[in-house]
Amino acid sequence: MFSMRFYLFILFIFGSLSAQKNYPKDYFQSPLDIPMQLSGNFGELRPNHFHAGFDLKTMQKEGLDVHAVADGYVSRIKISTFGNGKTIYITHANGFTSVYGHLQKANNQIQDFIKKAQYKEESFEVELFLKPGQLEVEKGEIIAFSGNTGASEGPHLHFEFRDNLTENIINPMFFGYDKLIKDSKKPVVSGVYVYPLDENTIVNQSKRPLLLNLSLQKDGTYVSDKVVANGKIGFGINTFDFDDVSFNKNGVFKVQTFNNGIPNFGYQFDTYSFDEMRYVNALIDYPKYKKTQQRVQKLFMINPFSLSIINTNLSYGVVALSPNLSTIYRVEVADYFGNTTIVSIPIKFETLPTIIEKEPIISKYHIKANKDSNFAKDNISVFLPAGTFYDNFNMNFDVKNDTLYLHDDIVPAHSNFTISIEDNKFSDIQKDKLFIASFDNNKIKFIPTYRKGNVFSCKAKTLGKYALVLDTIAPKITISKIIEGKWISDLNNIQFTISDSLSGIKSYNGYLNGKWILFEYDNKTKKIIHDFNDGVVIEGENALKLIVTDNVGNSTIFETRFFRN
């Protein structure tokens, strides 16, 4: 605990130094030819992560030229069906790497390099690491075309910067891109919440968190309802930002709180590591998010966590009230351009009668976040290592009809825990088709499962409902246009839809005249496409074979013949 306190104290004293690093302001150009508009900015709160860069609008279409923002070399290429989809990394001589994601395809020599690697590895998904001199690019060169690949929810370009030494991600605003974005609007604080933080604290006659009303003042600041409490309290805010041209909600850049004028908690989205991403679940009021989809950012920590963007003193943002004490708590929320919204909260110590009691605790077990925990019933066991959770909490655990009921997904897990299920009901042949699944609103989700004898185990990061599922159903293959025995010289490609109803698709492989061919996969549409320009197709008769396999080994084979000239 001492080391954590010391760590956070150092962050509080020296945290501002990180924001003072000199980043090159005029070294990089825009990656697009159109005016820069954000559909997402750096540090935005996303499911299980902070956003790692800019999402740049591409006029709701694909195929826009994507330029190298400076001289450098392609140091990494990742082609994935999820995440950032098709992604190119360019390392620059000044110590930074620029990243371009959700691409439709690469351009010229880069695209040729990717396709050659895919055919060599016989896989659509590849990750390639290159050395200086292999693929050099110049500033302004067209390296790719914008797209909608991976987990993208619409056409756009994901654009980010990383430090070459630490691989930390850095806010692109520091590299001069603020000059390309106009923002004169203050952030919006749509809600301020007060939290009673110990057993006996009463806040405005409530032992539950409360939403405070805000009143706009003549000077443009806000004042909340008075807070009357008798113990330890904390605050949370629901906030977002607009710029002048994008017309969509973005995240804020900086939050700082003051207790009687003294800074006590804050954070600034300047730079952080990928290892810190999941701490977004500790920063927000996770139960409220799961119930309402509102991300209330907590301005305190009960158990400190090592998120480097946080600056705090040893109170960790907790306001401890004592008799005869009145104080003013102030929250300042700013965007990168310095537009700032200020909320003042008057606080008074007083013990008032309780009207709203705490929510009743019906859980049987108490979890201490810094201790290992083991649970077992019937044929199912769960191991929760120390550090799995951020805070102590009361947890439900039960097993009914070979199904694990492990609380609900209203408490976030930071790291993996282990679920083990022993099976003595299925035959040895059936055991090869079993996997552990999670159930979310009765939707089955495959969890990678390993087996030792009759015991099946998996690693999970989400509380909820789990059970063994038997999958004997093979994947489904549907061709978009029947070509059996036909001349298809007018077609540029061939398309299929592939799907699996239970464990999900693990692999797919296509062969043309006995040679492996590349099918590009879009997980959103479940379509795979082979481009005849790859040059594998021959004149005359062609034999096509497609094999699709799910995660437990069920396979479907589709075969057809067609003609081309």
Side-chain angles (χ1 to χ4, degrees):
M1 177 60 72
F2 173 78
S3 61
M4 176 60 73
R5 286 177 175 269
F6 181 74
Y7 170 79
L8 289 169
F9 178 72
I10 292 298
L11 283 181
F12 178 67
I13 298 299
F14 298 106
S16 61
L17 295 179
S18 64
Q20 297 171 5
K21 181 174 180 178
N22 291 322
Y23 294 99
K25 297 288 187 182
D26 300 307
Y27 190 86
F28 299 105
Q29 70 166 62
S30 174
L32 297 172
D33 293 319
I34 60 176
M36 185 171 283
Q37 285 187 273
L38 300 179
S39 61
N41 66 350
F42 185 83
E44 271 188 3
L45 312 181
R46 301 282 179 89
N48 297 316
H49 71 285
F50 300 103
H51 191 229
F54 283 171
D55 281 343
L56 301 178
K57 294 186 178 184
T58 57
M59 302 188 298
Q60 300 180 339
K61 61 184 180 181
E62 301 182 39
L64 273 64
D65 294 347
V66 176
H67 301 272
V69 295
D71 293 349
Y73 72 96
V74 177
S75 55
R76 181 183 176 194
I77 298 169
K78 186 173 183 179
I79 309 297
S80 173
T81 56
F82 298 97
N84 285 332
K86 298 180 181 181
T87 310
I88 293 174
Y89 302 71
I90 297 178
T91 295
H92 308 284
N94 63 350
F96 302 101
T97 292
S98 55
V99 183
Y100 314 76
H102 303 308
L103 301 171
Q104 182 188 69
K105 63 178 181 179
N107 191 32
N108 293 336
Q109 60 173 342
I110 304 175
Q111 180 65 15
D112 294 340
F113 186 90
I114 293 170
K115 187 153 288 191
K116 184 181 292 185
Q118 289 171 321
Y119 271 92
K120 181 180 179 181
E121 297 186 19
E122 295 190 351
S123 174
F124 168 61
E125 293 191 283
V126 293
E127 186 167 15
L128 311 170
F129 295 91
L130 292 77
K131 297 178 181 179
Q134 281 188 270
L135 284 177
E136 302 281 349
V137 296
E138 296 181 353
K139 184 175 184 177
E141 180 180 336
I142 299 173
I143 58 167
F145 304 95
S146 66
N148 187 32
T149 56
S152 171
E153 296 180 355
H156 72 279
L157 175 68
H158 176 81
F159 177 60
E160 65 182 66
F161 281 98
R162 301 185 184 181
D163 185 290
N164 290 349
L165 294 178
T166 65
E167 295 189 3
N168 286 359
I169 43 178
I170 305 164
N171 194 329
M173 288 293 191
F174 288 132
F175 295 95
Y177 290 100
D178 55 320
K179 299 175 184 176
L180 304 179
I181 300 170
K182 186 177 181 182
D183 184 354
S184 60
K185 298 178 179 179
K186 294 181 179 181
V188 176
V189 177
S190 60
V192 175
Y193 294 81
V194 58
Y195 294 78
L197 298 182
D198 55 28
E199 191 69 29
N200 298 315
T201 296
I202 306 166
V203 179
N204 292 3
Q205 298 187 284
S206 174
K207 289 190 174 182
R208 301 184 190 184
L210 291 177
L211 175 66
L212 301 174
N213 292 317
L214 301 179
S215 298
L216 178 63
Q217 306 299 295
K218 291 182 179 180
D219 62 359
T221 65
Y222 292 85
V223 174
S224 79
D225 293 339
K226 178 181 284 189
V227 172
V228 179
N230 65 340
K232 292 182 178 179
I233 60 175
F235 293 91
I237 57 171
N238 198 340
T239 184
F240 54 87
D241 190 39
F242 291 104
D243 60 39
D244 292 355
V245 295
S246 297
F247 307 111
N248 53 268
K249 295 179 181 179
N250 291 318
V252 300
F253 175 64
K254 181 178 180 180
V255 177
Q256 182 62 56
T257 69
F258 303 83
N259 189 16
N260 267 350
I262 300 173
N264 76 332
F265 190 88
Y267 41 91
Q268 178 172 300
F269 290 102
D270 44 25
T271 179
Y272 43 83
S273 73
F274 281 93
D275 292 339
E276 299 177 89
M277 287 291 203
R278 200 168 176 88
Y279 282 120
V280 67
N281 293 332
L283 183 66
I284 66 173
D285 182 340
Y286 190 82
K288 187 173 186 64
Y289 165 63
K290 297 304 292 188
K291 294 174 183 176
T292 68
Q293 295 301 298
Q294 295 182 37
R295 293 186 176 95
V296 175
Q297 301 172 42
K298 294 187 296 185
L299 306 178
F300 62 91
M301 295 186 288
I302 297 175
N303 288 327
F305 50 90
S306 303
L307 178 56
S308 63
I309 62 172
I310 291 178
N311 299 316
T312 181
N313 59 21
L314 296 182
S315 73
Y316 307 121
V318 174
V319 178
L321 301 178
S322 56
N324 303 315
L325 174 69
S326 293
T327 183
I328 297 294
Y329 183 87
R330 188 170 83 252
V331 184
E332 296 185 359
V333 183
D335 60 25
Y336 183 84
F337 299 87
N339 303 303
T340 304
T341 297
I342 299 173
V343 179
S344 296
I345 306 169
I347 305 172
K348 178 184 178 182
F349 179 92
E350 186 176 346
T351 301
L352 297 176
T354 303
I355 295 177
I356 304 174
E357 295 287 348
K358 290 187 69 172
E359 292 188 51
I361 298 174
I362 57 175
S363 307
K364 295 181 179 179
Y365 306 98
H366 184 70
I367 300 296
K368 292 187 177 180
N370 62 349
K371 300 284 188 181
D372 290 348
S373 297
N374 285 282
F375 296 88
K377 183 179 178 182
D378 299 338
N379 62 325
I380 298 179
S381 64
V382 178
F383 173 58
L384 306 168
T388 300
F389 303 102
Y390 303 110
D391 298 314
N392 303 338
F393 71 103
N394 295 299
M395 187 185 79
N396 287 316
F397 166 86
D398 203 357
V399 174
K400 298 177 183 178
N401 300 320
D402 296 321
T403 299
L404 169 65
Y405 295 86
L406 189 63
H407 208 66
D408 294 303
D409 185 21
I410 57 171
V411 177
H414 185 72
S415 54
N416 287 325
F417 54 88
T418 303
I419 298 170
S420 297
I421 304 176
E422 184 175 5
D423 169 69
N424 294 306
K425 296 181 178 180
F426 292 96
S427 68
D428 287 340
I429 294 176
Q430 288 175 318
K431 280 182 170 60
D432 290 336
K433 305 298 183 182
L434 289 173
F435 66 94
I436 298 176
S438 65
F439 296 81
D440 185 8
N441 293 324
N442 294 319
K443 183 179 180 181
I444 296 174
K445 180 183 178 182
F446 170 82
I447 308 293
T449 303
Y450 52 98
R451 174 188 169 193
K452 188 174 183 180
N454 291 332
V455 178
F456 296 79
S457 300
C458 73
K459 302 291 186 182
K461 274 187 179 179
T462 304
L463 297 176
K465 180 180 174 183
Y466 292 86
L468 280 175
V469 172
L470 177 66
D471 182 3
T472 59
I473 303 171
K476 185 178 180 180
I477 302 175
T478 304
I479 192 168
S480 60
K481 184 177 182 180
I482 295 175
I483 58 173
E484 176 65 32
K486 295 182 178 181
W487 287 88
I488 58 169
S489 303
D490 57 330
L491 296 182
N492 296 320
N493 58 55
I494 185 170
Q495 301 184 25
F496 293 88
T497 299
I498 58 176
S499 60
D500 188 77
S501 59
L502 285 175
S503 62
I505 292 170
K506 181 179 182 179
S507 66
Y508 60 92
N509 286 284
Y511 300 90
L512 194 57
N513 306 316
K515 295 181 180 180
W516 185 89
I517 57 173
L518 174 66
F519 275 95
E520 297 212 355
Y521 178 58
D522 184 342
N523 77 80
K524 292 185 283 291
T525 63
K526 309 302 179 187
K527 287 186 177 181
I528 58 172
I529 301 176
H530 171 68
D531 187 345
F532 287 136
N533 289 323
D534 285 2
V536 183
V537 68
I538 61 175
E539 290 188 7
E541 185 178 9
N542 288 265
L544 175 67
K545 183 178 183 180
L546 177 62
I547 306 171
V548 181
T549 305
D550 67 18
N551 279 296
V552 295
N554 300 305
S555 292
T556 298
I557 299 175
F558 180 96
E559 295 183 276
T560 190
R561 291 179 178 272
F562 62 89
F563 298 86
R564 280 180 69 89
N565 54 25

